[in-house]
Amino acid sequence: MQDTAGAATGLRERKKERTREALIDAAQELFLRKGYDATTIDEVVASVDVSRRTFFRYFAGKEEVALARAIEFEGLFLEALSIRPADEAPLTALRRAGRAVVSEIDHEPGNGSGHEFLRMRSLIEGTPVLLAASLRNAMELERRMTLELARREGLDPDRDRRPALLVTLYHSVMRVAMDEWTEAGILDGAHLMRTIDAAWDDMAALLDSGWTTSGMARPETDPGFE
């Protein structure tokens, strides 16, 4: 009896996951073809042959389904970061967590989540309501990354700003690399990782060059701030 019940539960969960994935795929295909504002929830559910009630079991609305792949990516990254070895330096942990997620996504059948994430990126950036929501999600991701780094290092993030500063640096480098990768149009994980590594090499050279440090004295030592 228990085995039968467990199998039934597993079947229901797989069916729910298939429905959720079908809704995401249908919504994003419509958004890319018709535009976000011109697409209705009724059109999304009709494409999957489910009801509006079913849609709202999975998503609060169009905004959430449009950002679903990006949210999945963020979740994978946080999970990968949380299991990095405790003795890794903070930046090493961040970079290796990111590499692990890119590798996992790149090896999915059909390059699913990674490809969809890239296809949606320009749409999100060109749609004000989605861009605003995406920026809110990015801020929350940075907050959670900061908390995780502080936990790993035994720091109080309210008293020690180093985890927050490092997370901000990490996201800045990643944003530049992602923009370059998107513009290049070579949609594979190996090229993305090469682009990210090159961006980090440039950041290291920049910090070592002295170009950024010459103006980093405290403002009160500069007469212009008086």
Side-chain angles (χ1 to χ4, degrees):
M1 288 291 291
Q2 290 182 346
D3 289 345
T4 302
T9 300
L11 181 60
R12 285 195 299 270
E13 291 302 315
R14 289 193 297 273
K15 183 177 179 181
K16 287 169 61 177
E17 183 60 24
R18 286 196 298 269
T19 300
R20 181 180 182 278
E21 290 297 308
L23 285 167
I24 294 172
D25 289 342
Q28 295 190 351
E29 191 278 329
L30 285 165
F31 294 153
L32 290 166
R33 178 161 53 86
K34 297 185 58 179
Y36 176 79
D37 292 329
T39 300
T40 66
I41 291 175
D42 286 336
E43 290 173 313
V44 174
V45 299
S47 296
V48 185
D49 196 23
V50 298
S51 67
R52 285 175 61 89
R53 178 180 295 181
T54 297
F55 177 92
F56 286 110
R57 288 191 190 124
Y58 297 95
F59 306 104
K62 287 201 307 178
E63 181 181 295
E64 188 173 323
V65 74
L67 297 174
R69 296 297 186 208
I71 293 170
E72 288 174 2
F73 185 89
E74 293 165 2
L76 287 172
F77 179 85
L78 286 168
E79 181 180 354
L81 179 60
S82 71
I83 62 175
R84 294 307 308 169
D87 60 348
E88 278 186 346
L91 183 55
T92 300
L94 287 170
R95 293 186 62 181
R96 288 180 177 171
R99 183 179 290 274
V101 172
V102 170
S103 178
E104 180 177 337
I105 290 175
D106 194 47
H107 287 87
E108 286 186 0
N111 200 24
S113 293
H115 186 62
E116 289 301 320
F117 175 78
L118 183 59
R119 290 180 64 211
M120 289 294 293
R121 192 163 186 249
S122 60
L123 176 71
I124 291 170
E125 292 180 352
T127 307
V129 65
L130 293 181
L131 180 58
S134 179
L135 291 174
R136 288 195 300 271
N137 287 346
M139 291 175 64
E140 174 60 15
L141 175 62
E142 288 192 7
R143 186 190 70 82
R144 295 175 67 184
M145 289 169 63
T146 297
L147 291 176
E148 176 58 22
L149 287 187
R151 182 196 67 79
R152 288 170 55 89
E153 298 300 309
L155 303 174
D156 180 353
D158 293 329
R159 295 177 177 273
D160 192 324
R161 63 174 64 93
R162 286 177 297 173
L165 290 171
L166 185 58
V167 166
T168 301
L169 173 65
Y170 177 82
H171 270 209
S172 297
V173 173
M174 290 295 292
R175 186 158 47 247
V176 170
M178 285 293 296
D179 286 345
E180 183 178 332
W181 182 59
T182 302
E183 292 172 6
I186 304 173
L187 309 184
D188 69 83
H191 184 261
L192 174 57
M193 286 312 310
R194 288 195 298 272
T195 305
I196 292 171
D197 288 342
W200 277 112
D201 289 343
D202 287 347
M203 176 59 78
L206 176 64
L207 293 175
D208 288 341
S209 69
W211 186 59
T212 61
T213 59
S214 59
M216 294 185 68
R218 290 178 178 271
E220 57 265 27
T221 66
D222 185 341
F225 285 92
E226 295 179 354

